Amino acid sequence: MKTLIAAYSGVLRGERRAEAARSENKNGGSALSREGSGRWGTGSSILSALQDIFSVSWLNRSKVEKQLQVISVLQWVLSFLVLGVACSVILMYTFCTDCWLLAVLYFTWLAFDWNTPKKGGRRSQWVRNWAVWRYFRDYFPIQLVKTHNLLTTRNYIFGYHPHGIMGLGAFCNFSTEATEVSKKFPGIRPYLATLAGNFRMPVLREYLMSGGICPVNRDTIDYLLSKNGSGNAIIIVVGGAAESLSSMPGKNAVTLRNRKGFVKLALRHGADLVPTYSFGENEVYKQVIFEEGSWGRWVQKKFQKYIGFAPCIFHGRGLFSSDTWGLVPYSKPITTVVGEPITVPKLEYPTQKDIDMYHAMYMEALVKLFDNHKTKFGLPETEVLEVN
């Protein structure tokens, strides 16, 4: 604005000089020449001023968008880490205040609604299409790559790899419409499966269900694959907590060799298996890796065994600067590639031989998917997927 005012002042000065020149030169020849040059100079000043203003405006808009991206990511990270606990504490405190009736009403509703997550939850297209998820997507950025069509007459179990620290690619691609999963796979309803304990947390459970997130337990999966029609796709992060403990930048490793439960479920319901690999998932956080046999790894395994998750000591960047530590993940590209479905027959009582055969087929398909796409997303041809 100051630049524009200065330019406008230049216009006034030019007009004054031109008026003075006209009064001194009756024939106006030389004055007209000076007036023209004065007006030409002031026009250039205005043009230059406008260019400066639009340049500054564009830079400010770019900075605002970047901060909105950071905030959108941070709100999900904080929701994931503390929303459930914080809301539980607030509700318990509310019992001790004049607003105790609100807490009673919510817990009454909670008891009535307790089994809803096991039936697929209450997804909300409005929530899945929030603008905040587009800022979330653009921060990294995150993209979803489709390699094959999926039939709406079949049900599917997606194996998502690797877990990373928080499975950010899985959340963005399958629990929001930021990467247009419904347009890329029309007629397919994705359900991202996560720890059942999250659905015992007040308010957090409503937030998760609105995005189409459900508990990763047998009752829920049985319901979705047998009583919810066709076109369902359950996304299971197969490696789970054990895989998150080995998550670190530059490492492509999956915990899969002894994970066969999802294959058994697929056989029991005749749901096709779909290998899915997310390039860059391990790059967004750094964590302290405890060696096998250390006290730190012992504590993590105990948590994993009795609670269902393993606490990690990790960090990303700070809220205002990428040079400081904080909870905001680093902005590294995450590309989730959905592979070719493996047709699975329906066997009510699959044998161990059946399970082993389709598990081997799945591992081979996942390694092939990784090898076919690794060079497209910055990995060398010599990179090998480590299957543990």
Side-chain angles (χ1 to χ4, degrees):
M1 183 57 71
K2 291 180 179 179
T3 309
L4 187 58
I5 292 172
Y8 181 69
S9 300
V11 173
L12 295 180
R13 288 195 297 271
E15 288 178 349
R16 292 194 191 100
R17 285 196 297 270
E19 185 65 30
R22 280 196 297 271
S23 64
E24 292 176 1
N25 298 276
K26 293 182 179 180
N27 57 6
S30 61
L32 185 61
S33 175
R34 287 194 299 273
E35 179 183 358
S37 63
R39 291 184 182 275
W40 180 262
T42 56
S44 298
S45 299
I46 292 175
L47 181 60
S48 176
L50 290 174
Q51 287 175 339
D52 290 343
I53 289 170
F54 285 120
S55 176
V56 171
S57 175
W58 181 87
L59 288 173
N60 287 338
R61 184 167 64 251
S62 177
K63 289 180 179 178
V64 168
E65 286 185 356
K66 189 62 179 177
Q67 287 303 315
L68 286 173
Q69 291 170 10
V70 171
I71 292 169
S72 69
V73 173
L74 182 61
Q75 69 82 23
W76 169 248
V77 170
L78 292 178
S79 297
F80 181 83
L81 294 176
V82 301
L83 179 62
V85 174
C87 289
S88 298
V89 171
I90 291 171
L91 279 171
M92 294 305 294
Y93 172 75
T94 306
F95 271 116
C96 304
T97 69
D98 294 337
C99 298
W100 61 268
L101 184 59
L102 292 177
V104 170
L105 289 174
Y106 181 80
F107 277 109
T108 302
W109 159 253
L110 190 63
F112 173 78
D113 195 55
W114 191 255
N115 290 323
T116 298
K118 296 179 182 179
K119 298 180 180 180
R122 264 188 312 274
R123 75 172 55 222
S124 166
Q125 286 302 116
W126 176 65
V127 173
R128 287 174 62 90
N129 282 283
W130 276 354
V132 67
W133 307 131
R134 293 191 288 276
Y135 286 111
F136 184 102
R137 172 201 64 197
D138 294 339
Y139 171 78
F140 295 93
I142 296 173
Q143 63 173 325
L144 179 66
V145 176
K146 169 186 173 181
T147 61
H148 290 79
N149 292 324
L150 298 181
L151 299 175
T152 57
T153 55
R154 300 285 293 173
N155 284 322
Y156 301 91
I157 292 181
F158 286 32
Y160 183 91
H161 313 269
H163 184 287
I165 297 294
M166 293 187 187
L168 296 172
F171 169 76
C172 183
N173 285 312
F174 301 113
S175 294
T176 79
E177 292 296 329
T179 56
E180 300 185 329
V181 62
S182 294
K183 292 182 179 179
K184 291 178 180 177
F185 299 103
I188 302 298
R189 294 181 298 276
Y191 294 89
L192 177 60
T194 186
L195 291 175
N198 289 323
F199 297 90
R200 301 186 187 102
M201 297 286 189
V203 182
L204 175 62
R205 68 191 295 274
E206 323 298 340
Y207 196 17
L208 296 178
M209 285 193 291
S210 67
I213 302 177
C214 66
V216 60
N217 56 34
R218 180 172 172 175
D219 290 343
T220 304
I221 296 172
D222 283 344
Y223 180 88
L224 291 174
L225 295 180
S226 63
K227 299 179 181 179
N228 200 44
S230 60
N232 302 291
I234 301 175
I235 297 89
I236 300 176
V237 186
V238 178
E243 192 172 85
S244 69
L245 296 180
S246 61
S247 171
M248 59 184 296
K251 185 174 183 179
N252 288 284
V254 297
T255 301
L256 177 60
R257 201 170 296 279
N258 295 317
R259 301 292 176 104
K260 301 180 181 181
F262 73 105
V263 177
K264 184 177 181 179
L265 285 169
L267 285 165
R268 290 181 63 245
H269 294 284
D272 294 347
L273 291 167
V274 183
T276 305
Y277 196 85
S278 208
F279 294 90
E281 185 72 63
N282 284 342
E283 306 297 319
V284 297
Y285 278 115
K286 298 176 182 179
Q287 76 161 316
V288 178
I289 304 293
F290 293 103
E291 298 295 330
E292 289 293 337
S294 65
W295 68 270
R297 182 54 63 97
W298 180 84
V299 170
Q300 290 176 325
K301 286 186 174 181
K302 290 298 181 183
F303 266 83
Q304 181 185 340
K305 181 179 179 179
Y306 294 109
I307 302 179
F309 76 94
C312 302
I313 301 177
F314 65 92
H315 74 84
R317 51 156 288 182
L319 178 59
F320 301 106
S321 172
S322 59
D323 296 326
T324 58
W325 287 9
L327 290 175
V328 180
Y330 295 105
S331 69
K332 303 289 185 179
I334 299 175
T335 304
T336 303
V337 183
V338 179
E340 181 179 3
I342 301 168
T343 303
V344 176
K346 185 175 182 179
L347 303 174
E348 188 173 356
Y349 301 104
T351 65
Q352 191 60 49
K353 183 178 179 181
D354 296 325
I355 296 171
D356 290 342
M357 182 179 73
Y358 281 94
H359 183 261
M361 291 171 61
Y362 180 86
M363 286 198 299
E364 182 181 353
L366 179 64
V367 172
K368 182 179 178 181
L369 179 71
F370 178 85
D371 289 338
N372 288 345
H373 292 85
K374 60 187 177 183
T375 57
K376 299 175 185 177
F377 305 115
L379 296 178
E381 186 66 43
T382 55
E383 184 74 17
V384 176
L385 178 62
E386 180 183 332
V387 180
N388 300 315

